[in-house]
Amino acid sequence: MQIEQLDYWFPLLTNNSPFLFAIIDDRHCYYNVNTRYSDISGKPQHELIGSNDTDVLGHYYYQCLKPYYERAFNGEVIEAEVTINDTPHHTSLHISLAPLTNAQGEIKHIISHSIDTSERHILINSLQESEHQLNQLQNLITDGICIVENNIINNANQRAVALLGITSKHILLGKKFDELLLDSNNQPCHCNALTQATHSDNQHYYAINNTDHLPLIITTTPITLLGKTALFIKLTPTTNTNDQHHKIEQLTQRDPLTGLFNRYGFSRQLDQLMKANTPLFMLYIDIDNFKNINDSLGHHIGDKVLQEIAQRLQQLLPKNAIIGHLSGDEFAVVLTHPEHENSGDMIAEQIITLINKPFDLHYFSKHLTCSIGMVKSPGNGHDARIMIQNADTAMYEAKNRGRNRLVVFSDAMSKEARMRLWLEMELQKALQNNSLEVWYQPKVNAKNFEIDGAEALVRWKHPVEGYISPAQFIPIAERSGLIEQLGQVVMREVFTTIKQLKNKKLLKGRVAINLSSRQFENPNLINFVDNLRQSTGINTNDFTFELTESTVMNDGEHTIQMLNAIKNLGFALSIDDFGTGYSSLSYLARFPLDELKIDRAFIKDIDTIPKQIILIENIINLGKSLNMSVVAEGIETHQQATLLSNLNCDYIQGFHFHRPMPKQELEALLLKEKIYLND
């Protein structure tokens, strides 16, 4: 079909499709697209003509598909699966490409058809995982299980293979079921008799190939598989299986890595004690920043650490202590009949000291800390579920208070936990619906008070509660693991907005983006920033990443690697809230920093504490001597602004000049200032 004819048929055939259809020219630009492209880009179809994948779907998307386009322009018809892995959740595509020839036989266009198969892959993986779990469950059952259709064995667990005396499951599948059994009279089993077999029949059968001649009771249940009738057959050995039941019970209650009780086993033990009204206390232990070990050294090293923690706890605690490895880096301890009121506090302090002792990891030692929540019974719950939930709440409160400490549960924490849970759920909705906003607080040059850069600040307007303070939802995002997704949303919005303002020549200076400690701890941050930098086409000289002192001092080696990686991409680095965190100043010389940001705590007291001015002046001089620019935040009066200007501070930020504002207001303000300065 010629391209002119396709112009007529293309929209009729493709516009109602949920998939991506496009005709692409030899510059890899869109000659025509269907409405699905408009849905994704938010632009009408006619505006997309002449643009390309980079404009609509991102630079990385185009780079992945570019080789296939080139093959199609060489005359190849292509069907392929492509993975777009520039996001935490990889996108899988099935693409079809075909060349279109003109009257001269030249290939000037190709037609592209793309289908997002990510959900299909997720479903396949989920089904495979479910099948794996089902097979594991089948193999734990003491009875043999077979699925039989028309007397042919289609599936069986390992127990059935053993009971029927067959060497492997592969050999068993496909055999006739009734040919493997003899009845109690040593006669061949008849398939018709099996369909009526129940436990009440109590008929004994013997497996022909089993040399132990183990008596079996056969129970059948009709089932439907893919519209066909089959038999679910259970083979029950008549010997005493108490030992096997005990072994299975042990397997289901124990953690294979540490040998301690798993969450299920620990909960059962705790429930039994509470039903017996046994006085006890429980400690919920979380190893702080354990993810760093897995990310930097590997899960095999992390597993060794968990095993050593389990051993240390077993050596420290009395024999009657119940110890559980509940998940990942979380442990729990129950001790009954405490000798006195402070027994739990004393044991918790001993555990903290125990965890603080160095761990030998792969040629070097590592010091760890832990946060502990404590509950007591009677008093803090009527069953194991509530007790564990309340202890978990207290443990997170310990993290909020600075980590490496014990916090005892109180009823007030439960109310706060419910509020945090509500906020977490609502924040998740906000992220899914793209309803978070990025506001900007301009900075001014301290010499002429003209706008020179800004700081990006996330804002959340809840549909019912109105604007929720970042002081409330940022800690929730960090605790729940949503902070990385939130940070990515902010970064993408800032890159896009500031590029537009720079193209219009409205904004000069750098725009600061805050990085949380959770984001900075994740090595994948660098790949995300680099991919986003390429897809948006920004100038990295226009941006600064801000980190707090406590963030950069968490792990020296990791910090240096991350900071150097960010610098190598071309971004500037700033220390936020300088002077309120880490006590040593040696990091200023060691780390590749470009800017110091004086915390507002120093500024607000300069009118009443004269010595504060000396401190500020010394910070400014320190920054300049290290070839760093200095920003003062929290400026609320003209007197403060004048003082900072006289002290040779580089930039000033605060309500005296500008409050945080939406991007539309920022653009209007910049336009107004530009007109004023040009007059």
Side-chain angles (χ1 to χ4, degrees):
M1 184 180 294
Q2 299 300 314
I3 191 71
E4 293 79 10
Q5 295 173 292
L6 203 55
D7 284 341
Y8 172 77
W9 287 106
F10 182 82
L12 296 177
L13 294 171
T14 67
N15 271 350
N16 292 322
S17 172
F19 308 128
L20 293 170
F21 282 90
I23 299 174
I24 297 171
D25 65 23
D26 53 8
R27 295 177 298 116
H28 296 185
C29 293
Y30 301 144
Y31 176 84
N32 208 337
V33 293
N34 70 338
T35 53
R36 184 62 178 148
Y37 278 85
S38 294
D39 296 339
I40 291 174
S41 65
K43 296 179 180 179
Q45 286 171 275
H46 69 272
E47 288 187 15
L48 295 174
I49 306 306
S51 60
N52 56 29
D53 288 342
T54 298
D55 302 323
V56 178
L57 300 165
H59 178 74
Y60 196 85
Y61 180 97
Y62 170 66
Q63 290 300 319
C64 291
L65 265 62
K66 181 180 178 183
Y68 297 98
Y69 291 161
E70 292 171 347
R71 286 166 55 189
F73 275 106
N74 286 328
E76 190 175 344
V77 176
I78 296 169
E79 291 275 342
E81 288 284 337
V82 181
T83 300
I84 313 296
N85 58 1
D86 65 331
T87 61
H89 308 290
H90 302 331
T91 301
S92 297
L93 293 176
H94 181 86
I95 61 168
S96 300
L97 300 173
L100 298 173
T101 55
N102 60 17
Q104 291 75 39
E106 300 170 324
I107 301 173
K108 294 295 185 180
H109 298 84
I110 61 174
I111 188 164
S112 167
H113 173 212
S114 305
I115 304 171
D116 189 338
T117 57
S118 304
E119 290 190 8
R120 186 183 72 185
H121 285 287
I122 292 170
L123 180 59
I124 290 172
N125 292 335
S126 177
L127 288 172
Q128 289 174 342
E129 177 64 23
S130 297
E131 184 178 3
H132 175 67
Q133 292 175 355
L134 181 59
N135 288 334
Q136 285 184 318
L137 182 60
Q138 286 179 342
N139 292 331
L140 285 173
I141 297 173
T142 56
D143 296 323
I145 301 295
C146 291
I147 305 296
V148 176
E149 184 180 343
N150 295 328
N151 198 31
I152 301 299
I153 300 174
N154 288 341
N155 204 347
N157 68 351
Q158 284 301 127
R159 182 63 172 152
V161 175
L163 290 174
L164 293 171
I166 306 300
T167 54
S168 72
K169 181 177 176 179
H170 175 72
I171 295 174
L172 177 63
L173 299 184
K175 285 187 175 294
K176 291 184 177 180
F177 184 77
D178 61 3
E179 293 181 355
L180 300 174
L181 298 172
L182 296 172
D183 65 18
S184 55
N185 296 319
N186 213 31
Q187 297 298 312
C189 172
H190 291 288
C191 185
N192 290 338
L194 290 176
T195 59
Q196 280 78 43
T198 65
H199 273 303
S200 60
D201 294 332
N202 204 27
Q203 295 179 358
H204 287 183
Y205 293 84
Y206 299 89
I208 293 173
N209 297 303
N210 195 326
T211 56
D212 294 333
H213 301 292
L214 188 67
L216 301 172
I217 297 175
I218 307 297
T219 309
T220 65
T221 304
I223 58 173
T224 301
L225 293 175
L226 300 176
K228 297 181 180 180
T229 301
L231 292 177
F232 179 90
I233 298 180
K234 184 171 71 170
L235 297 80
T236 306
T238 57
T239 55
N240 191 334
T241 57
N242 285 339
D243 289 342
Q244 291 171 319
H245 282 296
H246 178 71
K247 289 178 182 177
I248 290 176
E249 191 71 9
Q250 288 295 309
L251 284 171
T252 58
Q253 293 193 45
R254 291 286 176 176
D255 168 46
L257 178 66
T258 62
L260 302 177
F261 284 110
N262 58 21
R263 182 176 287 269
Y264 168 70
F266 184 84
S267 298
R268 286 197 60 176
Q269 295 291 318
L270 180 57
D271 249 337
Q272 290 170 8
L273 290 171
M274 295 186 69
K275 286 176 181 176
N277 296 319
T278 306
L280 57 85
F281 65 84
M282 187 189 96
L283 303 174
Y284 198 110
I285 307 159
D286 180 270
I287 310 303
D288 298 326
N289 298 315
F290 185 78
K291 184 175 180 292
N292 286 347
I293 294 177
N294 283 334
D295 288 344
S296 58
L297 300 176
H299 287 271
H300 64 293
I301 299 295
D303 287 348
K304 288 181 180 179
V305 173
L306 295 174
Q307 288 170 334
E308 185 170 341
I309 291 172
Q311 292 169 5
R312 290 186 186 186
L313 290 173
Q314 288 172 312
Q315 292 169 1
L316 170 71
L317 299 169
K319 296 294 183 184
N320 67 335
I322 298 169
I323 311 173
H325 179 209
L326 304 192
S327 66
D329 57 357
E330 295 179 343
F331 294 81
V333 171
V334 167
L335 283 167
T336 60
H337 302 288
E339 294 181 6
H340 47 77
E341 187 68 23
N342 296 326
S343 292
D345 303 67
M346 294 170 59
I347 293 292
E349 290 302 321
Q350 291 174 17
I351 291 174
I352 290 172
T353 302
L354 189 77
I355 302 299
N356 290 167
K357 291 180 179 178
F359 291 79
D360 292 326
L361 307 178
H362 202 58
Y363 308 119
F364 67 93
S365 293
K366 177 77 173 177
H367 289 267
L368 298 178
T369 62
C370 66
S371 301
I372 302 178
M374 184 170 75
V375 290
K376 298 177 183 179
S377 180
N380 294 142
H382 54 79
D383 60 24
R385 184 183 65 83
I386 297 298
M387 286 282 283
I388 292 174
Q389 178 180 308
N390 290 341
D392 178 61
T393 297
M395 179 272 290
Y396 273 108
E397 183 62 28
K399 284 188 177 293
N400 292 336
R401 295 184 189 179
R403 308 189 181 197
N404 204 35
R405 67 190 64 217
L406 166 73
V407 168
V408 180
F409 176 78
S410 68
D411 290 336
M413 289 180 198
S414 183
K415 295 177 183 177
E416 292 172 7
R418 287 195 294 271
M419 175 56 72
R420 285 197 296 267
L421 179 61
W422 178 82
L423 276 173
E424 180 182 332
M425 294 169 64
E426 292 298 299
L427 181 57
Q428 201 160 21
K429 290 180 191 175
L431 285 167
Q432 291 171 350
N433 298 330
N434 294 319
S435 55
L436 292 177
E437 304 171 11
V438 178
W439 287 23
Y440 299 86
Q441 184 175 25
K443 294 185 296 186
V444 301
N445 189 302
K447 294 179 180 176
N448 54 23
F449 296 160
E450 294 176 7
I451 295 176
D452 196 340
E455 179 180 3
L457 302 164
V458 65
R459 292 292 184 265
W460 176 20
K461 187 176 183 180
H462 189 271
V464 176
E465 301 295 326
Y467 280 105
I468 296 175
S469 168
Q472 281 185 279
F473 71 82
I474 293 296
I476 298 296
E478 290 181 334
R479 174 184 164 179
S480 63
L482 294 172
I483 190 66
E484 292 188 52
Q485 184 183 354
L486 186 151
Q488 291 174 359
V489 168
V490 170
M491 211 177 298
R492 186 178 286 107
E493 168 65 23
V494 173
F495 281 9
T496 303
T497 297
I498 299 308
K499 183 184 178 183
Q500 293 171 352
L501 294 177
K502 290 287 184 178
N503 288 343
K504 295 176 181 178
K505 302 188 183 305
L506 290 177
L507 178 65
K508 60 182 178 180
R510 297 177 185 266
V511 173
I513 302 172
N514 292 283
L515 286 180
S516 73
S517 57
R518 280 290 184 92
Q519 289 175 277
F520 191 69
E521 287 167 4
N522 189 348
N524 293 329
L525 171 69
I526 303 303
N527 286 334
F528 175 81
V529 172
D530 191 24
N531 290 333
L532 189 62
R533 172 186 66 86
Q534 295 181 51
S535 64
T536 54
I538 59 156
N539 182 351
T540 55
N541 290 324
D542 295 331
F543 300 91
T544 298
F545 283 115
E546 286 188 5
L547 304 105
T548 61
E549 287 181 293
S550 57
T551 296
V552 298
M553 294 313 299
N554 274 341
D555 189 333
E557 193 59 38
H558 173 75
T559 297
I560 291 174
Q561 291 175 0
M562 292 292 285
L563 293 178
N564 284 333
I566 293 172
K567 286 288 291 182
N568 289 338
L569 292 177
F571 295 94
L573 290 164
S574 174
I575 291 295
D576 196 10
D577 303 336
F578 179 77
T580 62
Y582 197 70
S583 57
S584 171
L585 296 178
S586 61
Y587 74 89
L588 292 178
R590 291 171 53 225
F591 296 161
L593 303 172
D594 303 284
E595 182 181 271
L596 296 181
K597 199 165 187 183
I598 303 174
D599 186 70
R600 66 183 68 247
F602 290 96
I603 306 300
K604 66 186 180 70
D605 293 329
I606 58 176
D607 296 330
T608 56
I609 306 176
K611 289 184 179 180
Q612 207 78 308
I613 299 175
I614 299 173
L615 281 176
I616 294 171
E617 184 176 17
N618 285 328
I619 292 173
I620 294 171
N621 291 335
L622 174 65
K624 290 184 176 296
S625 66
L626 293 173
N627 200 29
M628 300 166 70
S629 59
V630 182
V631 181
E633 62 178 346
I635 308 302
E636 297 185 355
T637 67
H638 178 74
Q639 183 180 353
Q640 291 171 348
T642 303
L643 176 62
L644 267 298
S645 179
N646 292 335
L647 291 175
N648 292 321
C649 187
D650 296 301
Y651 304 100
I652 299 174
Q653 179 180 339
F655 286 3
H656 174 65
F657 294 100
H658 306 286
R659 293 177 177 270
M661 61 189 72
K663 62 182 179 182
Q664 297 86 352
E665 292 183 20
L666 174 66
E667 183 171 357
L669 175 66
L670 293 171
L671 184 60
K672 182 179 178 181
E673 183 172 274
K674 183 178 181 180
I675 294 171
Y676 173 77
L677 293 174
N678 289 336
D679 285 346

